[in-house]
């Protein structure tokens, strides 16, 4: 996601500065888009006007942000999927160091982002948002403002991901049920495409049955992280997430069974292997 955003912004004329924990990855991308690589994340804070975070999870954000000594006027835009609780913590920490924090999760994958078609929801204080709106409008296909509390954007993104990952798991289970009676997946897709499940069947049935070793656009381990964050968030609010918790168990099993780096839709193969 970080590479896709950097490519998109570079193509729009932004002067991009890159930092990645694995420096070689940043160097490789920098060669392609003519960007500068800095040795540490705090160098990026000192040099850049906007700091866009595409880190995998809250632990990664903690470890990166804890290297920041001050953030005089820095505008931190977080695009990673995190909990509302994490969002308000990162926002307070940023404010305490003199910076601005905006939560801007992305509903869409790397190719939508690279092509300027991603849907981004944004929340943060009015001042921070107005500072970030220009770059977010350039990055997004569509930007929806959810107000001043950053945790609202994090909550909505978790709701979306529970729905998406849960639906894909349910679809995988449903396809396998038909297949167990000899009904070909193409026929399942053809029939479902004539119902309200058409768009999801057309988009996911072939993808989920594809080779688990193929490159992932969104990994099974990150999907597991999002389900875990959604279940925890419900727990803190006294709202059990029954179906999401069930999908979480399945994704945990998938990660334990060696599918961590596979695309999250390959949960189909995890369920198939379990039978
Ligand atoms: N892929 C999607 O379709 C999609 C869509 C919307 C939102 N998201 C969210 O966007 C975020 C990034 O997703 P992605 O798919 O781009 O994942 P990714 O390709 O696995 O990238 C994760 C990044 O986090 C870095 N990282 C992990 N742990 C770290 C640590 N402890 N310290 C410093 N850096 C660390 C990794 O560095 P290394 O390269 O060194 O490992 C890598 O640059 C996640 O929160 C994900 O849930 C993903």
């Amino acid at each position: 996601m970080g590479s896709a955003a950097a490519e998109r912004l570079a193509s729009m004329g932004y002067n991009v500065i890159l930092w990645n924990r694995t420096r070689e990855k940043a160097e490789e991308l920098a060669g392609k888009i003519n960007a500068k690589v800095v040795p540490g994340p705090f160098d990026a804070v000192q040099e850049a006007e906007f700091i866009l975070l595409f880190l995998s999870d809250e632990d990664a954000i903690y470890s990166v942000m804890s290297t920041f000594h001050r953030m005089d006027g820095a505008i931190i835009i977080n695009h990673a999927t995190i909990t509302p609780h994490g969002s308000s913590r990162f926002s307070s920490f940023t404010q305490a160091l003199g910076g601005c924090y905006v939560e801007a999760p992305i509903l869409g994958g790397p190719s939508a982002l690279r092509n300027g078609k991603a849907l981004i929801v944004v929340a943060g204080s009015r001042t921070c948002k107005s500072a970030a709106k220009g770059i977010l409008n350039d990055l997004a296909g569509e930007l929806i403002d959810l107000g001043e509390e950053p945790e609202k954007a994090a909550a909505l993104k978790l709701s979306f991901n529970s729905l998406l990952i849960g639906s894909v798991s349910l679809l995988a289970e449903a396809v396998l049920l038909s297949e167990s009676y000899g009904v070909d997946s193409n026929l399942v897709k053809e029939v479902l495409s004539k119902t309200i499940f058409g768009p999801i069947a057309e988009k996911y049935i072939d993808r989920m049955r594809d080779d688990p070793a193929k490159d992932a656009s969104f990994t099974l381990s990150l999907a597991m992280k999002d389900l875990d964050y959604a279940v925890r968030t419900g727990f803190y609010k006294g709202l059990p997430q029954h179906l999401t918790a069930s999908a979480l168990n399945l994704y945990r099993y998938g990660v334990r069974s060696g599918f961590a780096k596979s695309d999250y839709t390959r949960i189909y193969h995890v369920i198939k292997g379990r039978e």
Side-chain angles (χ1 to χ4, degrees):
M1 290 295 277
S3 305
E7 283 173 30
R8 163 84 185 154
L9 293 173
S11 76
M12 298 198 76
Y14 281 82
N15 183 11
V16 178
I17 296 175
L18 300 171
W19 174 78
N20 197 71
R21 175 179 66 170
T22 312
R23 188 174 173 127
E24 306 81 71
K25 290 190 192 171
E27 302 275 8
E28 196 187 326
L29 178 62
K32 279 195 219 154
I33 63 170
N34 197 22
K36 173 180 174 179
V37 177
V38 287
F42 189 57
D43 301 298
V45 172
Q46 287 179 302
E47 290 192 36
E49 194 177 344
F50 306 102
I51 294 96
L52 280 62
L53 302 179
F54 285 94
L55 296 159
S56 48
D57 56 20
E58 289 182 8
D59 283 349
I61 300 177
Y62 275 119
S63 75
V64 164
M65 279 180 93
S66 58
T67 68
F68 300 171
H69 320 300
R70 51 172 213 284
M71 296 191 219
D72 326 307
I75 297 150
I76 309 280
I77 305 173
N78 177 47
H79 296 291
T81 307
I82 60 170
T83 63
H85 180 71
S87 174
S88 74
R89 288 285 180 90
F90 296 134
S91 174
S92 307
F93 180 75
T94 306
Q95 265 173 33
L97 294 194
C100 249
Y101 183 89
V102 174
E103 200 62 62
I106 299 170
L107 284 72
S111 86
L113 188 55
R114 191 172 284 111
N115 298 319
K117 297 211 163 102
L119 171 61
I120 303 186
V121 290
V122 58
S125 77
R126 204 166 301 164
T127 329
C128 295
K129 259 183 330 203
S130 78
K133 274 223 166 130
I135 191 167
L136 285 174
N137 273 317
D138 285 339
L139 193 60
E142 189 173 356
L143 190 64
I144 299 179
D145 191 338
L146 298 185
E148 299 224 42
E149 295 141 273
E151 56 269 34
K152 286 192 175 168
L156 179 54
K157 168 68 189 191
L158 283 182
S159 302
F160 172 74
N161 272 24
S162 304
L163 189 58
L164 176 69
I165 303 162
S167 304
V168 165
S169 323
L170 204 52
L171 181 65
E173 207 168 76
V175 170
L176 279 160
L177 184 65
S178 287
E179 284 183 328
S180 74
Y181 277 85
V183 185
D184 188 83
S185 67
N186 284 321
L187 207 48
V188 179
K189 189 168 80 175
E190 190 188 324
V191 172
L192 289 183
S193 73
K194 297 180 192 306
T195 73
I196 53 161
F197 300 107
I200 181 165
E202 279 160 24
K203 187 160 179 187
Y204 293 109
I205 290 182
D206 293 338
R207 179 171 162 189
M208 67 174 56
R209 295 179 79 261
D210 211 345
D211 183 356
K214 271 196 184 165
D215 269 359
S217 138
F218 176 43
T219 62
L220 207 132
S221 64
L222 284 180
M224 181 193 78
K225 177 264 301 182
D226 291 350
L227 294 172
D228 180 52
Y229 284 174
V231 171
R232 277 170 202 266
T233 299
F235 185 85
Y236 293 138
K237 281 283 185 191
L239 280 173
Q241 304 289 292
H242 305 286
L243 301 177
T244 309
S246 181
L248 171 59
N249 281 332
L250 195 56
Y251 274 77
R252 280 194 179 129
Y253 175 76
V255 167
R256 281 200 307 275
S257 312
F259 288 86
K261 290 199 176 341
S262 296
D263 192 73
Y264 79 104
T265 59
R266 312 279 146 75
I267 198 68
Y268 168 91
H269 294 279
V270 174
I271 303 171
K272 195 172 178 180
R274 204 178 193 183
E275 284 160 357

